[in-house]
Amino acid sequence: MQTIESKAETRTNAPSTFEIVTRKDFSDVTYLLEVRHPLMAKAAKPGQFVIVMLNEHGERIPLTIADFDRVKGTITLVIQAVGKTTKEMQLACQVGTRLYGMVGPMGIPSPISHAKKVVCVGGGLGVAPVFPQARAFKDAGAYVIGVVGFRNKDLVFWDDKFRACCDEFIICTDDGSTGIKGLVTEGIKQAIAKHSDIDEVVAIGPPIMMKGCAETTRPHNIKTMVSLNPLMVDGTGMCGGCRVKIGGQVKFACVDGPDFDGHKVDFDDLMTRLRRFTEQEKMALDRWLETCRMMNLPASSPASPVEPKPKGPRKAANSPARKS
Amino acid sequence: MAKKKTIRTIPQERTPMPEQDAQRRAHNFEEVACGYPIEAALNEAERCLLCPDEPCIAGCPVNIDIPGFIQKITEKNLRGAYDIITATNLLPAICGRVCPQENQCEGVCTVGDTLEPVAIGRLERFIGDAAIAEGWVNIPYIEPSGFKIGIVGSGPAGMACAADMAKAGCDVTVFEAFHQAGGVLKYGIPDFRLPNEVIDAEIANLMKLGVKFECNTLVGRLFTIEQMLDELSFQAVFVGTGAGYPSMLGVAGDSLNGVLSANELLTRCNLMRAKEFPDYDTPLPPAKRVAVVGAGNTAMDAMRVSLRLGAEKVYCIYRRSRTECPARAEEVHHAEDEGVEFHWHTNPVGNLDDGKGNVRGMRCIRMELGEPDDSGRRRPVPVPGSEFDFECDLVVYAIGTNANPIMGQTSSLKLNKWGYIETGENLATSVAGVFAGGDIVTGAATVIEAMGAGRKAAASMKAYLGIRATSVADLVGAASTGKLFGIDVKERNFARIRAA
Ligand SMILES: Cc1cc2nc3c(=O)[nH]c(=O)nc-3n(C[C@H](O)[C@H](O)[C@H](O)COP(=O)(O)OP(=O)(O)OC[C@H]3O[C@@H](n4cnc5c(N)ncnc54)[C@H](O)[C@@H]3O)c2cc1C
Ligand SMILES: Cc1cc2nc3c(=O)[nH]c(=O)nc-3n(C[C@H](O)[C@H](O)[C@H](O)COP(=O)(O)OP(=O)(O)OC[C@H]3O[C@@H](n4cnc5c(N)ncnc54)[C@H](O)[C@@H]3O)c2cc1C
Ligand code: SF4
Ligand code: FES
C-alpha cells in the first residue's frame, strides 16, 4: 500500500484549489484521495457528499465524504474505478495535482439519532462512507456494531480504522477468505441474534446490498437507514436527475437525501435508473481505454505513482501544484 | 433635430433581423437571430417617434430611457446610447435577446397602435453587442466604502445586485454552486438564443468593476447565511438562488428511463456540453422522437435543443391553446419554423414502458375548455374517451419548478407557504442584513425582472448600510425618468452626486 503526502501549508479560508495531498491504493480498483479544502473540512458532517469534476471536459460525479480532518483542512474520498471518469481519475489524480472542481458538502447530514445500539454496515466500497457515521454514533455514546463485507480478503481496507470505533466488529467475505463466509446480511443476522435491543441499522453499499439489508431487518422492525446513489448532475436540486421513489413519493436524493428509510425505498426503481446511460458509459470508457493504449498510458496499473505525461489522453486540467 | 417625425413619415415596415435559415439552423447550435447590421439599426431607430409621454419607458420593468437611447442611435452616437441603457440595465446584450418585449416596452409602443411597434429589443441588443465588440464598459469612479458584501447565486439577480454594490464602493464576492457563473443564462438558455460569449463578456465587465466570483461554492452547506454575517464578516448578503426543483407530472411512468426534466436536458446539453459527447464526458440519451410537455420558454428551448441533438420528430404537448401558451411569441414561431409539431389541447395521461424500464411512448387525452370556474377562468377539462397513444423515446417535462429547498434547510430565513423566501417591499428578508430577489422570491419569472429585483435589493442594501453617495454613471439619464429601477425619486438613497 502506497502513501504519499505533500507538505504544502494549510491556508484556512482561502478559496480551495482542490489540491490532492494524499493518495493511497487499496487494490487495483479502489483508491483514496485526500483533498485540501479547509472550509469544507470544517463544514462536513457524516453522510454528506461532494461533486467532483476532474477537468473542464469532465462529468460531475458524486462521491461520499469518507472522512474529514478539521485540523489538516482536508477531506477524504474513497473511489472505485468503475467507468471512464473514475478510471481517468485513478490515473490522473496524483499527489500535488488538482481537481478542476469540487463542490460540497452536499446533502442533508445523516441524522445521528440517540440510538443506544446501532449496527453500521458497509458493503465493499460502502465501508468508507459508513465510517464517519459509525464514528459519530460512537462519539454520541452508542454501542456500535460494525459489519463490513468484501468479495475476498485482498479487497479489505480500513478494517483497523473501522474496528477502532466499534464495540463489536464482524467481517464477512463472499469466499470466506477472512471473517465469516457470506454476505453482510449474514453479519446483520448474527448481530440481531445476539442483541435483541438494536435500535437502528445504517447500511451503505451497492443498491442490491442495501436492499438485502432492508429486507433482513424488516421482519424485526428495526429502523434501517440507507444512503442512495442515483446518477446526479448538479447536486443542488435543480435537475431532478437524482429522483428516487420513497414510499411512493418522488424525492430528489441530492437535496432531500441522500439518506432515506430503507424500508420505504423502491430499490428496483433505483437500479433501473442507474442503467440510464449504460451504452454511452461503455462508449466513453472504450474510447478512453483506446486512447490510453495508443498513448501507452497504464490505464489500470495505478499502484505505482505514475507520473502522468504532460499531455494526457485529454487536455489535463490538473497542473501540478507547488511541491515543497 | 430634424423636423418632427410622424407616423406617416417614418419607415412603415419593421426592419427585419437577418436569421439563419430554419432548415439549416435546426441542426446547429449557432445563434438563430444574427443581429442588426448598422444600416438596419439606423433605419429602425428612425421609426421611433420620440413620444413625449414615453409609454415604452413605463412598459419596461427597469424603465430604460428608451427614446433617449434610440435618439442617440439616430445620431450615430452608439457609445452615448450604451451609456443611457447601462444607467438602468447592466446587461443589454442579454436582455435585448431574451426579454419578452412584446409584453413590455414594445407592447405599449405608440407606433404599434398603427404599424408594427419599434423593434426596441433588437436595438438594445445592437447596442449591447456593439459594446462587447468595442470593449466598452462603464467603470465609474469608485470610492471604497469599506463594506464587504456577499451575493449567493450568479444568475441575473445576483449579477445586477453585485454590480450596483461594487459601484457603491463595496467589496463584493459572488458565490456560485456550479463550476461556472451565469445561472439560468448559462445552464438553461441554449447557445443559439444566447451565446456563452455574451454572458462571459458581461461577467468580465463585472470583474472589471472589482466583483469576485467564487464558483464551486454551495452556500448553506459550505457555510450558512448566518455564518456569512458573523464568521465571514459580510455586512450584508443578497440571496438570488433561483427557482430550481423541477416539477414532475405525477403520472404513471414518471421514473422510466427516458423521462427527464427540461432542466436536466438543458443543463446536460448547455453547461456540461453533452452535445459534444464523447469529447465532453457528460452523456444525453439519444432520441429520435421527443415529446416535450409544457409550452413555456423552457419547453421551447427543450424542443429546439432536441432537434439540434438529432431528433427526427419533436412534439409539443400542451393542455391549453396557442393563445394561452406562456412562451414568447417569437420562440413559438422559431420552434414551428424549425419543425416542432404542436399538439394544443392535449394532456399526458401516462408514459408507456417498453418492459425494460425505458419509455416507449406516451398516452395522452384531448382537452376542451370547461365551464368558467370561480375565478371566471375556463379551465381545460379532458374529453372523455379521447385517449390516444403515440411513440416516443424521450419525454421532457417543462411544467414549471418549485422552490429550491437548500436555503430553507440551512438558514432561519422565513419562507412563504410555497417555500419561496419571504421579503418585504424593499426585498429585505426576516434576517437583518439579508436581502433576496429573483426567482427564489417570485417563483420562475424573467431575466429582466430578476435583474430589476437585484438592483432594487442593492438600493435597499445601500440604505441599510447607510451608503449615501453613488457614482455618476448610475445617474446618467436618471433625471429624465421619474422612476429608476422601479423606485421613486424620493425613495432614492443616493442623494448627492459625487463627481469623479
Ligand atoms: C451520493 C453519492 C455518493 C457516492 N459516493 C461514492 C463514493 O464514495 N465512492 C465511489 O467510488 N463512488 C461513489 N458514488 C458513485 C459514483 O458517483 C459513480 O461510481 C461514478 O459517477 C461513476 O463514474 P464513471 O464515469 O467512472 O463511471 P460510468 O461510466 O458513469 O459508470 C460505470 C458503471 O458504474 C455505475 N454507476 C454510475 N454512476 C453510479 C452511481 N452514481 N452509483 C452507483 N453506480 C454508478 C454505472 O451504472 C455503470 O455500470 C456515489 C454516488 C452518489 C450519488
Ligand atoms: C430554459 C429557460 C429559458 C428561459 N428563457 C427566458 C427568456 O427567454 N426570457 C426571460 O426573460 N426569462 C427566461 N427564463 C427565466 C429566467 O432565466 C429566470 O427568471 C432568471 O434567470 C432568474 O434569475 P435568478 O438570478 O433569480 O436565478 P438563476 O438564473 O436561476 O440563478 C441562480 C443561481 O444561483 C445558484 N445557486 C442556487 N443555490 C445556490 C446556493 N445554495 N449557493 C450558491 N449558489 C446557488 C444556481 O446554481 C444559479 O446559478 C428562462 C428560464 C429557463 C429555465
Ligand atoms: S413608444 Fe415607441 S415610438 Fe414612442 S418613444 Fe417609445 S419606442 Fe419610440
Ligand atoms: S442532482 Fe440534479 S436535482 Fe439532484
Side-chain angles (χ1 to χ4, degrees):
Chain A
M1 195 187 293
Q2 200 99 23
T3 306
I4 312 149
E5 281 241 17
S6 96
K7 296 188 197 68
E9 87 285 10
T10 316
R11 296 167 305 153
T12 23
N13 281 354
S16 174
T17 54
F18 322 118
E19 185 199 345
I20 292 161
V21 295
T22 311
R23 163 164 179 153
K24 282 185 203 166
D25 287 280
F26 293 134
S27 70
D28 58 0
V29 288
T30 315
Y31 55 102
L32 170 152
L33 300 176
E34 195 176 345
V35 187
R36 189 183 312 288
H37 198 319
L39 267 180
M40 203 186 296
K42 251 171 78 183
K45 298 204 180 63
Q48 291 187 301
F49 64 96
V50 292
I51 285 195
V52 166
M53 262 180 102
L54 173 61
N55 56 38
E56 235 189 305
H57 288 236
E59 202 175 352
R60 293 169 63 93
I61 67 158
L63 298 167
T64 309
I65 301 177
D67 201 357
F68 41 85
D69 187 329
R70 305 216 155 117
V71 181
K72 257 165 87 191
T74 59
I75 67 137
T76 300
L77 309 172
V78 178
I79 306 162
Q80 192 161 22
V82 292
K84 157 88 185 351
T85 305
T86 44
K87 281 186 200 276
E88 195 178 0
M89 282 175 70
Q90 190 182 25
L91 184 65
C93 293
Q94 302 297 336
V95 170
T97 61
R98 289 168 176 167
L99 297 168
Y100 173 74
M102 181 172 80
V103 54
M106 295 173 141
I108 301 177
S110 305
I112 302 301
S113 63
H114 296 297
K116 292 202 189 60
K117 198 172 268 186
V118 291
V119 182
C120 292
V121 190
L125 189 83
V127 168
V130 84
F131 165 74
Q133 292 198 52
R135 184 174 55 188
F137 272 115
K138 186 73 206 156
D139 291 347
Y143 185 91
V144 180
I145 304 163
V147 176
V148 298
F150 295 94
R151 278 209 309 281
N152 60 55
K153 182 163 146 263
D154 296 338
L155 296 172
V156 175
F157 69 94
W158 273 18
D159 45 335
D160 294 344
K161 195 171 164 142
F162 210 108
R163 199 186 297 265
C165 66
C166 292
D167 296 284
E168 274 175 51
F169 189 68
I170 303 170
I171 189 163
C172 318
T173 47
D174 293 7
D175 62 356
S177 49
T178 184
I180 60 174
K181 183 171 190 303
L183 306 172
V184 283
T185 42
E186 285 309 314
I188 298 175
K189 280 182 196 152
Q190 268 194 16
I192 293 177
K194 191 168 160 199
H195 302 269
S196 57
D197 54 348
I198 294 169
D199 298 306
E200 185 171 340
V201 173
V202 178
I204 307 185
I208 188 76
M209 167 245 155
M210 293 191 283
K211 184 178 177 184
C213 294
E215 289 319 320
T216 308
T217 58
R218 199 191 295 275
H220 302 276
N221 234 335
I222 302 171
K223 177 179 170 196
T224 302
M225 295 302 286
V226 295
S227 172
L228 302 188
N229 60 346
L231 302 183
M232 292 188 177
V233 184
D234 56 304
T236 62
M238 203 264 318
C239 76
C242 64
R243 64 191 190 274
V244 288
K245 269 200 214 153
I246 312 293
Q249 273 189 315
V250 174
K251 297 277 178 194
F252 291 3
C254 67
V255 288
D256 301 323
D259 290 358
F260 294 99
D261 178 347
H263 293 154
K264 292 194 182 146
V265 172
D266 184 339
F267 284 104
D268 296 334
D269 179 70
L270 174 66
M271 288 186 269
T272 310
R273 288 187 56 75
L274 277 171
R275 288 197 298 268
R276 280 176 74 189
F277 294 108
T278 313
E279 243 168 75
Q280 289 99 318
E281 283 160 358
K282 182 166 183 317
M283 174 177 162
L285 181 61
D286 289 349
R287 199 176 104 123
W288 184 72
L289 291 175
E290 177 62 16
T291 331
C292 286
R293 203 183 53 77
M294 275 161 41
M295 317 239 341
N296 257 323
L297 284 167
S300 58
S301 60
S304 63
V306 271
E307 202 52 59
K309 298 211 177 119
K311 274 260 173 214
R314 158 137 341 130
K315 194 182 77 201
N318 320 42
S319 57
R322 69 213 139 89
K323 290 191 184 137
S324 47
Chain B
M1 204 172 54
K3 72 173 175 19
K4 191 164 165 22
K5 290 185 276 188
T6 68
I7 197 81
R8 287 174 199 285
T9 63
I10 62 170
Q12 301 291 297
E13 296 286 323
R14 187 178 232 228
T15 320
M17 168 112 89
E19 268 180 12
Q20 252 200 86
D21 170 69
Q23 292 317 308
R24 208 176 77 83
R25 75 179 189 232
H27 305 288
N28 70 45
F29 278 90
E30 286 152 38
E31 201 170 6
V32 167
C34 311
Y36 274 158
I38 175 93
E39 305 75 33
L42 290 172
N43 186 60
E44 188 60 25
E46 282 305 328
R47 297 184 68 230
C48 173
L49 301 170
L50 306 174
C51 314
D53 59 341
E54 304 166 330
C56 49
I57 298 184
C60 168
V62 297
N63 309 117
I64 298 178
D65 177 6
I66 292 164
F69 95 77
I70 295 185
Q71 188 174 5
K72 291 282 185 224
I73 299 180
T74 59
E75 292 163 8
K76 299 207 172 99
N77 179 357
L78 305 190
R79 178 69 204 236
Y82 177 69
D83 293 342
I84 291 180
I85 298 179
T86 49
T88 46
N89 180 348
L90 299 156
L91 315 168
I94 293 173
C95 292
R97 285 177 168 81
V98 302
C99 273
Q101 288 99 3
E102 64 273 21
N103 305 329
Q104 303 176 357
C105 52
E106 293 179 13
V108 292
C109 170
T110 317
V111 176
D113 296 344
T114 330
L115 308 167
E116 282 280 304
V118 177
I120 303 172
R122 295 174 180 182
L123 291 173
E124 181 184 20
R125 166 180 169 177
F126 168 73
I127 296 299
D129 286 354
I132 293 175
E134 300 291 330
W136 295 336
V137 48
N138 278 331
I139 302 187
Y141 162 77
I142 298 175
E143 186 171 304
S145 66
F147 290 112
K148 210 175 133 190
I149 307 296
I151 310 268
V152 187
S154 64
M159 283 203 251
C161 187
D164 276 8
M165 296 317 286
K167 285 185 192 162
C170 301
D171 173 7
V172 182
T173 311
V174 179
F175 297 101
E176 167 59 47
F178 267 126
H179 53 284
Q180 285 184 19
V184 170
L185 307 178
K186 252 295 168 40
Y187 74 69
I189 303 182
D191 282 9
F192 54 84
R193 229 156 45 83
L194 179 59
N196 277 341
E197 300 84 75
V198 174
I199 309 160
D200 290 336
E202 303 283 18
I203 290 170
N205 281 349
L206 286 183
M207 292 195 194
K208 286 187 203 146
L209 281 173
V211 176
K212 288 173 286 215
F213 284 85
E214 293 271 353
C215 292
N216 290 299
T217 308
L218 183 66
V219 177
R221 295 275 172 215
L222 188 59
F223 42 78
T224 62
I225 300 280
E226 284 83 357
Q227 280 176 311
M228 288 177 80
L229 292 171
D230 49 48
E231 283 168 47
L232 299 174
S233 61
F234 288 101
Q235 275 91 12
V237 172
F238 174 76
V239 182
T241 50
Y245 214 94
S247 310
M248 294 288 145
L249 256 181
V251 299
D254 264 0
S255 63
L256 288 175
N257 290 340
V259 180
L260 76 177
S261 76
N263 270 9
E264 181 177 354
L265 175 80
L266 293 168
T267 307
R268 283 179 179 272
C269 177
N270 301 334
L271 182 75
M272 303 311 297
R273 311 206 84 71
K275 60 191 178 204
E276 288 158 65
F277 180 85
D279 281 337
Y280 282 74
D281 291 344
T282 305
L284 261 176
K288 292 267 167 277
R289 289 160 174 267
V290 182
V292 178
V293 183
N297 283 319
T298 311
M300 298 302 143
D301 286 345
M303 293 185 263
R304 299 174 67 195
V305 157
S306 298
L307 281 172
R308 284 160 176 78
L309 289 170
E312 284 157 13
K313 281 271 178 213
V314 176
Y315 312 105
C316 172
I317 310 294
Y318 187 55
R319 65 199 174 111
R320 297 174 187 272
S321 75
R322 184 187 190 114
T323 38
E324 282 123 352
C325 136
R328 296 185 54 195
E330 188 187 340
E331 301 307 331
V332 183
H333 271 294
H334 279 144
E336 220 158 29
D337 288 351
E338 289 168 14
V340 171
E341 249 177 56
F342 284 86
H343 294 267
W344 309 109
H345 293 299
T346 307
N347 208 26
V349 182
N351 301 304
L352 309 174
D353 192 341
D354 72 347
K356 288 184 235 140
N358 305 309
V359 66
R360 69 168 169 84
M362 200 181 216
R363 177 162 301 162
C364 289
I365 192 163
R366 299 278 179 218
M367 306 291 281
E368 63 188 1
L369 285 181
E371 294 301 313
D373 61 11
D374 295 344
S375 65
R377 230 166 97 115
R378 296 183 63 193
R379 298 196 152 275
V381 291
V383 179
S386 66
E387 284 99 344
F388 65 99
D389 294 354
F390 64 92
E391 274 176 34
C392 61
D393 43 18
L394 195 70
V395 172
V396 184
Y397 289 166
I399 51 170
T401 51
N402 296 310
N404 189 296
I406 295 180
M407 283 300 132
Q409 288 169 349
T410 59
S411 75
S412 54
L413 290 177
K414 198 165 166 219
L415 309 178
N416 67 18
K417 66 175 171 187
W418 298 281
Y420 294 104
I421 298 178
E422 199 164 285
T423 65
E425 180 53 30
N426 63 353
L427 297 183
T429 66
S430 59
V431 176
V434 181
F435 299 80
D439 285 5
I440 191 62
V441 171
T442 55
T446 62
V447 172
I448 192 71
E449 280 165 322
M451 240 188 64
R455 303 209 68 182
K456 191 167 167 189
S460 304
M461 225 183 231
K462 288 188 227 170
Y464 168 79
L465 297 168
I467 302 176
R468 310 273 309 156
T470 245
S471 54
V472 200
D474 265 18
L475 293 178
V476 175
S480 62
T481 64
K483 278 175 118 194
L484 192 56
F485 338 136
I487 306 164
D488 272 331
V489 185
K490 55 181 185 308
E491 281 178 41
R492 277 184 225 145
N493 57 356
F494 26 80
R496 278 175 294 126
I497 301 174
R498 179 175 298 162

